């Protein structure tokens, strides 16, 4: 393992050995009793993770983008209206998906790094009638954390179905579908859920399912159509089998292991750990004199950090130097500021040791780029946070 780089990007993340062992176990048939039990349990645990007691979970082979596609395809009919609370690249993407299914889309789009105020969103809601409103919980291109609780309440008040892209948040940030009135939320296996890429996890509230059942037109995507998947999910949860498309057997076994670990840790404890780790990383970055993309601390995600490069240092120089020091980080993603910042993912089974390794590698990279700072600056700032918490 000595030549292995620590993977600290916003997905895929580092995976727990027990999860990887489940991935590597001999593949069973999708009708095997052991698989039926694991899939059924994984569905139940998915519902618990999304905090949606009467929600309908879907676990589908595909990526997070399939979650986005599924939510939009099943809830939107041609001519419907949609409001996108857009905090970056993935807001643009869900806007494109909504348009593909025939929606007329309005964006509330502040500058990169900003979160629109509730007043701005309310103004947009008042100016039209919206079938759906979408919010990206953590936009991975900016590291901006949306205030789902208050935004969802606004969306509901104006009669919109609320869709939350939780791909960079679920299992790292608190997302309480029941308490906050979220109608559909989804994530992908490779982010805070802690399973290799290949699964989309989605939960639909009873209200969302009722809206789907009241559609006048067929769903515009054959693969994503809940008509096809609903009987399958219901069957496995009842510990029976049903077929529409072959489930990703090994990934589902791995998912059930990871969800077991997540619920064993406890959601509250897990969210607190992500906050502690995020504070330590951000304290280290600030101590080195680097800014961050989110304009204020209260809108900064706890699953990732988006530091701005110091003046005179480029990603082309810094990121390879950090890799050389043993840690893989990600470059910028938001088209407006792509070359101005980089991204550190810190979700899932991330530890204090990973934080220190990451900050140490960033210090090594900065030193290699000729940046002037006292060695150990970031490490001691992070240690201070850990000592206080
Ligand atoms: C990663 C991500 C996606 C897309 O997920 P893929 O698995 O890459 O398709 C969508 N939304 C957000 C917020 C993400 O972080």
């Amino acid at each position: 393992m000595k030549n292995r780089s620590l993977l600290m990007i916003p997905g895929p993340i580092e995976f727990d050995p027990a999860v990887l062992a489940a991935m590597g176990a001999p593949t069973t048939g999708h009708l095997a009793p052991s698989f039926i039990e694991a899939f059924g349990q994984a569905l139940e645990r998915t519902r618990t993770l999304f905090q949606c007691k009467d929600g309908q979970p879907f676990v589908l082979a595909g990526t997070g983008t399939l979650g986005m596609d599924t939510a939009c395809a099943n809830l939107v009919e041609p001519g419907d209206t949609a409001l996108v609370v857009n905090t970056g690249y993935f807001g643009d993407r869900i806007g494109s998906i909504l348009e593909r299914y025939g929606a007329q889309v309005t964006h509330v789009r502040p500058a990169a790094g900003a979160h629109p105020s509730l007043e701005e969103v309310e103004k947009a809601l008042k100016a039209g009638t919206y079938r759906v409103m979408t919010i990206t919980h953590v936009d991975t291109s900016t590291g901006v954390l949306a205030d789902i609780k208050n935004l969802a309440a606004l969306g509901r008040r104006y009669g919109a179905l609320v869709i939350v892209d939780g791909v960079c948040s679920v299992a790292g940030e608190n997302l309480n579908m029941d308490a906050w009135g979220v109608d559909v939320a989804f994530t992908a296996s490779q982010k805070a859920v802690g399973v290799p890429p290949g699964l989309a996890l989605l939960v639909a509230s009873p209200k969302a399912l009722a809206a789907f059942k009241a559609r006048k037109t067929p769903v515009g995507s054959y693969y994503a159509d809940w008509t096809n998947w609903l009987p399958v999910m219901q069957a496995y949860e009842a510990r029976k089998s049903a077929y529409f498309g072959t489930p990703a057997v090994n990934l589902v076994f791995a998912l059930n292991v990871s969800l077991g670990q997540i619920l064993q840790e406890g959601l509250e404890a897990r969210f607190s750990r992500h906050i502690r780790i995020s504070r330590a990383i951000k304290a280290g970055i600030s101590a080195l004199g680097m800014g961050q993309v989110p304009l204020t601390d209260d809108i900064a995600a706890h699953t990732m950090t988006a530091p701005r490069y110091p003046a005179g240092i480029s990603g082309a120089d810094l990121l390879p130097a950090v890799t050389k020091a043993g840690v893989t980080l990600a470059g910028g993603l938001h088209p407006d500021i792509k070359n101005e910042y980089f991204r550190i993912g810190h979700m899932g089974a991330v530890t204090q040791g990973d934080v220190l390794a990451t900050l140490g590698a960033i210090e090594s990279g900065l030193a290699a780029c000729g940046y002037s700072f006292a060695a150990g600056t970031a490490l001691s700032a992070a240690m201070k946070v850990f000592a206080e918490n």
Side-chain angles (χ1 to χ4, degrees), residues 212-260:
F212 156 74
K213 285 178 180 153
R215 289 179 66 97
K216 294 184 186 71
T217 59
V219 171
S221 160
Y222 183 75
Y223 185 77
D225 190 343
W226 286 344
T227 313
N228 294 322
W229 291 114
L230 202 50
V232 176
M233 301 302 143
Q234 287 169 341
Y236 275 96
E237 211 177 331
R239 304 307 192 263
K240 296 181 191 129
S241 66
Y243 170 76
F244 172 62
T246 308
V249 170
N250 289 56
L251 280 164
V252 170
F253 273 115
L255 173 67
N256 194 37
V257 171
S258 194
L259 291 173

Side-chain angles (χ1 to χ4, degrees), residues 19-40 42 59-62 195-199 223 229 232 236 241-243 245-257:
V19 172
L20 294 175
M23 284 291 292
T27 303
T28 69
H30 58 290
L31 309 182
S34 62
F35 178 70
I36 292 173
E37 177 57 30
F39 199 174
V59 172
L60 306 174
V195 176
L199 291 178
Y223 185 77
W229 291 114
V232 176
Y236 275 96
S241 66
Y243 170 76
T246 308
V249 170
N250 289 56
L251 280 164
V252 170
F253 273 115
L255 173 67
N256 194 37
V257 171

